[in-house]
Amino acid sequence: MLKILPKLTLLILQVFLLLINFQTATFGETAGYKRVQSVEVQLNINGQIYQGLQERIEFSIVRVGEKILLSQPISLLEHNKESLKVAIYNVFSKVLIGFQMESIDLVLGEHTRIMIDLTPQAPLISKINLQMELEGVAPEIKEFSNKIIDDAEQELNQIFVGLPVASTAWADGIFNVVISYIIEREFPGFDVIFAIDPGETMGMNLRLIPKAEVVKEVLVKNSSNTVPISLFRKKLNIYQNRFNFLKGVPVEFLVHYQPEFERFINDSLSG
């Protein structure tokens, strides 16, 4: 769930008090009237943003809308619709930092719909720079990982570019979940520690630390169907050390990228 600012509780309380005043004044008129049974949100955002973030915003609006509207007499809400719209506007214009709330409307009924139009406010995130440090592994593993890091950076750019820089103040949970998911998916067997440097060009600094089962020893077996092994065994023994770069690498990572590692080693040895 979105990290809601402390002032949100006070704002919701103000809306409650507003409704209580309405009910007190019109209690006799609303007894037995139809009431709101469910609340849904129609959120329109000018420009593309990460679907996961939009879903979290919608979820939070629904939760607040339910607190305000559920079980309220529809006739009471209709009678005070404009005041209610202003109250809801005040709640979310103070919470959704980085977005301008362009309009809000209510379609009241047993199944009430809240319709909100938002526009991301500049400055917007224009680029993600991913800096990654792999600890406890050989330089060859870092070389092997360059393309994986580039692909992860490209994916993060597709997700976060276009979001308001200010939104990182309350949406850091989304950033953490997405970054952790992508890095753990691409680097299984590593623990990830990261820090975000907000800005139009956003820096993401990650440390990857091997965990669980890692390679402790590398054994090389050789065979040939055409040449006696004795002719090149001495040469192969020299190259035994070439495979020591695999030491310290999580086994899960090697298994995940086994075909790529085989090509990487073949290319290295072919020279």
Side-chain angles (χ1 to χ4, degrees):
M1 184 176 174
L2 290 177
K3 188 185 291 183
I4 302 298
L5 299 178
K7 68 179 72 173
L8 179 56
T9 302
L10 178 61
L11 292 168
I12 294 174
L13 179 60
Q14 291 172 351
V15 177
F16 271 125
L17 292 175
L18 177 67
L19 291 175
I20 289 171
N21 289 335
F22 291 157
Q23 287 179 307
T24 301
T26 58
F27 179 76
E29 301 175 12
T30 59
Y33 278 34
K34 291 183 178 180
R35 296 172 182 269
V36 176
Q37 298 178 9
S38 67
V39 177
E40 64 176 277
V41 170
Q42 179 180 321
L43 181 63
N44 298 312
I45 298 180
N46 299 321
Q48 267 192 323
I49 70 165
Y50 173 51
Q51 181 64 27
L53 180 58
Q54 177 160 340
E55 290 172 357
R56 291 299 181 96
I57 295 175
E58 290 173 349
F59 176 76
S60 290
I61 295 173
V62 167
R63 291 296 298 272
V64 173
E66 288 174 343
K67 291 180 183 293
I68 295 172
L69 301 172
L70 279 184
S71 300
Q72 295 295 330
I74 297 171
S75 59
L76 171 67
L77 298 176
E78 287 282 8
H79 184 71
N80 300 284
K81 182 176 179 179
E82 292 306 314
S83 297
L84 189 58
K85 284 167 59 176
V86 170
I88 295 174
Y89 177 92
N90 288 337
V91 169
F92 288 104
S93 63
K94 291 178 173 62
V95 171
L96 299 176
I97 300 171
F99 290 89
Q100 172 66 41
M101 187 174 292
E102 303 292 352
S103 66
I104 180 171
D105 200 5
L106 298 173
V107 179
L108 296 168
E110 292 185 350
H111 305 290
T112 290
R113 185 164 74 251
I114 303 173
M115 297 181 293
I116 294 178
D117 291 336
L118 295 177
T119 298
Q121 290 183 302
L124 306 178
I125 297 173
S126 60
K127 186 178 181 181
I128 301 292
N129 279 336
L130 185 60
Q131 299 294 326
M132 191 175 297
E133 178 184 353
L134 281 80
E135 296 188 358
V137 297
E140 291 89 341
I141 299 300
K142 297 176 182 178
E143 179 186 348
F144 174 85
S145 300
N146 283 339
K147 185 179 185 308
I148 305 173
I149 295 171
D150 289 343
D151 290 344
E153 182 180 68
Q154 182 177 352
E155 186 172 358
L156 289 168
N157 272 277
Q158 291 172 347
I159 292 172
F160 292 123
V161 165
L163 290 181
V165 172
S167 69
T168 60
W170 52 266
D172 60 336
I174 289 289
F175 282 79
N176 294 346
V177 167
V178 172
I179 295 168
S180 295
Y181 169 76
I182 291 175
I183 300 305
E184 290 172 5
R185 182 194 67 197
E186 299 300 328
F187 289 89
F190 287 88
D191 279 327
V192 57
I193 301 172
F194 61 88
I196 297 174
D197 184 16
E200 292 184 62
T201 299
M202 177 171 290
M204 293 185 181
N205 301 304
L206 291 86
R207 289 174 55 210
L208 294 179
I209 304 170
K211 65 177 181 178
E213 187 179 7
V214 300
V215 175
K216 295 181 179 179
E217 194 64 45
V218 180
L219 300 177
V220 178
K221 295 182 179 180
N222 46 71
S223 62
S224 173
N225 294 325
T226 58
V227 180
I229 289 296
S230 59
L231 293 180
F232 57 87
R233 178 171 290 158
K234 184 177 180 181
K235 191 70 170 179
L236 288 174
N237 288 339
I238 295 174
Y239 280 90
Q240 168 78 43
N241 293 332
R242 293 282 298 274
F243 297 95
N244 286 337
F245 74 90
L246 296 174
K247 290 182 179 180
V249 177
V251 174
E252 189 178 358
F253 184 69
L254 287 175
V255 171
H256 185 74
Y257 288 107
Q258 182 173 341
E260 291 83 355
F261 266 110
E262 290 173 352
R263 287 194 295 270
F264 180 78
I265 292 171
N266 282 331
D267 291 344
S268 175
L269 292 177
S270 65

